[in-house]
Amino acid sequence: MDASACSCNSGFSNTYMLLKPEEVKFLDLLRLLFSSNLKKRKFVDSTSAREHNFWHRFFIFLSIIVLKLLRFFAKPLALLGFFLESWLNFISANGGFSGILLNILRFKLIIPDSSSAEYLSIIGHLDSRVRLDEKIKAGDVNYFGALCMMASKLAYENEACVTQTVNHVWKMELLGFFNFWNGYQEKFSTQAFMMRDKNADHDTIIVSFRGTEPFNADDWSSDFDISWYEIQGIGKIHGGFMKALGLQKSIGWPKEIDPPKEIDPQQQRRPLAYYTIREKLREVLKENERTRFVVTGHSLGGALAILFPFILVFHEEKLVLERLEGVYTFGQPRVGDGEFGEFMMKSLSQYKIRYYRFVYGFDMVPRLPLDDKALMFKHFGRCIYFDWNYVAQILEEEPFKNYFSIVGAVLMRIHACFEIGRSFTIGWRRGKEYEERVLLRIVRLFGLLLPGVPAHCPQDYVNSTRLGSADRFLNEYDVKIQ
């Protein structure tokens, strides 16, 4: 990728800092730690000639290293994920190890089809629940929170599984399953689906973005790319997430894009997330004035979910924004600086859009990128926080807001022990649907080594929306928003 490919249109962003790991040389990268001169570094495209803050340079150094490692190990990582996912589905399809032996003897061994509705992702094997909680009815204050979390979990699955679940298990209507183009990665690396939850009392469209897949280097690259764009009067925004949502090279965020056939026939097969979803919403919302929509996502999906309404505001899409009822994010990382947060809270308040940012325990992802002077990233809005026992609180920020904390590291490991113990008892205490599988227990053990990783799994977020005592807090939060 050449420098012009990463250039930024001045009409979109007045200042920016973009990382280009493909152009880095190690000695040049090492010099970054000892020299503030950014203009000499080909792997950094910045409107600032110098970066005097050592820690900011250090985080640029660290981000580049991680991005380079992800590029180098992308294929082995994907291969490992493929074999693990295939093995888990092979075991599941044949009914366990005893079933495999029996099917071998009967010459009826089942080889799973990766495009079938029964084929689950690794996320699906960690938490195999598909059905919605029948105790949470439409109209309950926590209904959309519970539904959105299940939709966020479902977004990790293939098209056949999503179609089967939405249309036949949930008895709703699938409006579209999408693979979106990331022009910077030059791959289809962003996924989402849209469904319609309609009955006599409400008609709501749910837009669900897929989060970071555990063995997908492209997803992790979006997370660890600390590039940023600053828009005058709005603030600084995380570049990796913007690129995943559909930011275009050199031209940024034009309000409308030319019809694909007029610019490049290939573009017709390369849809961009924001523009495709916006057009689909415009189309469906015209059908019924009662129809509303919500946006949701877990992890990286949560970042895309909250940035989607930002672009709508940026483009002054008033008619669409007036129909946006809420944004529900789970384990969402930080997406911008303090000025951006203030802009978003003002915009959400203007259109009476509810923003629910759910955080479970010591999940590491909401504590990244770091909230400090060097990286400038900050959360905005209230945090609906659940402890390890699924007790809810509304906080300004989750406890130990930055992942790297000495005291926090000790408490994280203590909580990891509690979670391992709970894994063996929650089934008989809460019901069979809450039983945890061996795979998830292994992941929970891994949390003693790297705390905060198991807490990011969808399992605890689904449990939080079903078991958590958030009803009263959600009511109070709605009143404050209104």
Side-chain angles (χ1 to χ4, degrees):
M1 188 186 301
D2 59 23
S4 63
C6 285
S7 61
C8 184
N9 182 281
S10 59
F12 154 65
S13 173
N14 55 320
T15 59
Y16 53 87
M17 190 279 291
L18 308 179
L19 303 183
K20 297 182 286 182
E22 64 279 0
E23 299 189 16
V24 73
K25 294 181 179 178
F26 183 72
L27 289 178
D28 194 28
L29 178 61
L30 202 60
R31 291 189 189 102
L32 176 69
L33 296 176
F34 305 100
S35 170
S36 64
N37 192 335
L38 295 183
K39 290 300 180 183
K40 290 184 177 181
R41 314 296 165 220
K42 292 183 178 180
F43 55 87
V44 181
D45 181 13
S46 176
T47 48
S48 299
R50 293 185 175 275
E51 176 53 68
H52 296 287
N53 188 311
F54 169 80
W55 287 109
H56 200 173
R57 298 200 308 272
F58 173 76
F59 283 119
I60 292 174
F61 172 87
L62 193 61
S63 181
I64 289 284
I65 292 291
V66 172
L67 292 174
K68 287 292 286 184
L69 288 172
L70 285 169
R71 288 169 67 90
F72 184 79
F73 289 107
K75 289 184 179 179
L77 192 64
L79 198 61
L80 175 61
F82 169 77
F83 281 118
L84 179 57
E85 194 171 89
S86 299
W87 176 243
L88 290 171
N89 280 281
F90 178 69
I91 295 172
S92 176
N94 287 280
F97 290 103
S98 58
I100 292 173
L101 293 174
L102 183 61
N103 285 345
I104 289 174
L105 295 173
R106 298 190 305 177
F107 298 99
K108 291 184 177 181
L109 199 63
I110 300 171
I111 305 299
D113 177 4
S114 61
S115 64
S116 71
E118 291 73 32
Y119 195 93
L120 295 179
S121 68
I122 292 172
I123 297 295
H125 281 282
L126 287 172
D127 181 0
S128 61
R129 287 174 290 187
V130 174
R131 297 190 177 278
L132 303 176
D133 190 336
E134 295 180 353
K135 297 187 291 295
I136 302 176
K137 306 292 185 183
D140 292 352
V141 68
N142 56 341
Y143 172 73
F144 280 112
L147 176 60
C148 283
M149 183 54 231
M150 288 297 287
S152 297
K153 185 171 82 75
L154 184 62
Y156 288 96
E157 307 305 328
N158 65 34
E159 183 173 2
C161 182
V162 171
T163 303
Q164 168 72 18
T165 302
V166 172
N167 291 340
H168 302 292
V169 180
W170 297 353
K171 308 297 182 183
M172 298 177 189
E173 178 188 0
L174 183 67
L175 299 178
F177 180 94
F178 309 100
N179 282 302
F180 295 120
W181 183 254
N182 183 323
Y184 291 79
Q185 295 178 347
E186 297 187 344
K187 293 180 180 179
F188 292 94
S189 54
T190 301
Q191 282 77 41
F193 74 88
M194 295 174 64
M195 68 180 191
R196 193 170 194 167
D197 177 20
K198 185 177 181 180
N199 61 29
D201 299 319
H202 69 264
D203 181 4
T204 307
I205 297 164
I206 291 92
V207 179
S208 179
F209 288 96
R210 194 206 68 194
T212 302
E213 291 185 316
F215 295 93
N216 188 319
D218 295 322
D219 288 351
W220 287 111
S221 294
S222 294
D223 295 334
F224 283 99
D225 181 358
I226 62 168
S227 301
W228 52 262
Y229 298 86
E230 182 174 15
I231 304 176
Q232 191 169 8
I234 293 176
K236 295 178 180 177
I237 311 161
H238 191 290
F241 301 147
M242 296 273 274
K243 295 169 186 176
L245 195 56
L247 180 71
Q248 297 177 74
K249 293 178 182 178
S250 302
I251 60 175
W253 288 112
K255 183 168 183 178
E256 305 290 344
I257 54 176
D258 295 327
K261 62 181 180 180
E262 294 182 15
I263 51 176
D264 181 1
Q266 283 289 88
Q267 286 294 101
Q268 194 167 5
R269 296 189 293 273
R270 294 177 178 176
L272 301 172
Y274 164 76
Y275 294 100
T276 304
I277 292 173
R278 185 191 65 179
E279 292 309 306
K280 185 67 175 178
L281 285 170
R282 283 174 173 174
E283 174 189 325
V284 178
L285 293 174
K286 285 179 183 177
E287 298 173 2
N288 187 345
E289 291 185 357
R290 291 179 56 247
T291 306
R292 299 290 183 267
F293 76 99
V294 299
V295 190
T296 189
H298 168 261
S299 189
L300 166 63
L304 302 183
I306 190 57
L307 285 177
F308 181 78
F310 157 65
I311 308 299
L312 291 176
V313 172
F314 184 63
H315 287 161
E316 299 179 338
E317 292 283 347
K318 184 178 179 182
L319 294 179
V320 179
L321 284 163
E322 287 176 345
R323 309 285 281 279
L324 175 54
E325 197 163 89
V327 180
Y328 295 78
T329 72
F330 306 88
Q332 171 212 314
R334 297 182 175 99
V335 299
D337 67 358
E339 184 183 0
F340 176 72
E342 291 175 7
F343 172 84
M344 282 302 295
M345 290 308 296
K346 182 179 178 181
S347 300
L348 294 172
S349 176
Q350 177 185 347
Y351 290 100
K352 297 182 179 179
I353 300 168
R354 297 174 173 87
Y355 172 38
Y356 305 97
R357 184 172 68 85
F358 291 82
V359 175
Y360 166 77
F362 283 102
D363 182 350
M364 70 183 298
V365 175
R367 295 168 169 87
L368 298 171
L370 300 182
D371 177 356
D372 63 5
K373 292 180 180 179
L375 281 183
M376 58 76 190
F377 290 98
K378 293 186 178 297
H379 278 306
F380 55 90
R382 298 294 181 89
C383 165
I384 302 173
Y385 176 78
F386 295 87
D387 67 15
W388 73 276
N389 206 28
Y390 307 123
V391 175
Q393 304 175 66
I394 288 190
L395 305 173
E396 293 293 333
E397 182 67 271
E398 56 271 9
F400 298 99
K401 66 179 183 178
N402 284 326
Y403 180 70
F404 299 104
S405 162
I406 296 175
V407 177
V410 174
L411 288 177
M412 285 180 190
R413 286 174 171 81
I414 293 173
H415 277 238
C417 292
F418 291 159
E419 289 167 348
I420 293 168
R422 184 191 62 197
S423 178
F424 291 92
T425 63
I426 192 170
W428 62 262
R429 287 193 301 113
R430 299 291 193 173
K432 189 174 178 61
E433 66 187 285
Y434 295 98
E435 287 182 355
E436 297 187 1
R437 296 184 171 190
V438 173
L439 180 63
L440 181 57
R441 288 173 181 167
I442 293 172
V443 174
R444 292 204 185 281
L445 285 171
F446 179 72
L448 296 174
L449 176 66
L450 191 62
V453 173
H456 188 58
C457 294
Q459 176 88 19
D460 286 315
Y461 281 97
V462 173
N463 290 353
S464 295
T465 57
R466 296 184 178 194
L467 301 173
S469 53
D471 300 31
R472 178 173 61 86
F473 294 107
L474 289 173
N475 271 323
E476 290 176 0
Y477 191 32
D478 285 349
V479 171
K480 288 179 181 178
I481 292 174
Q482 294 171 349

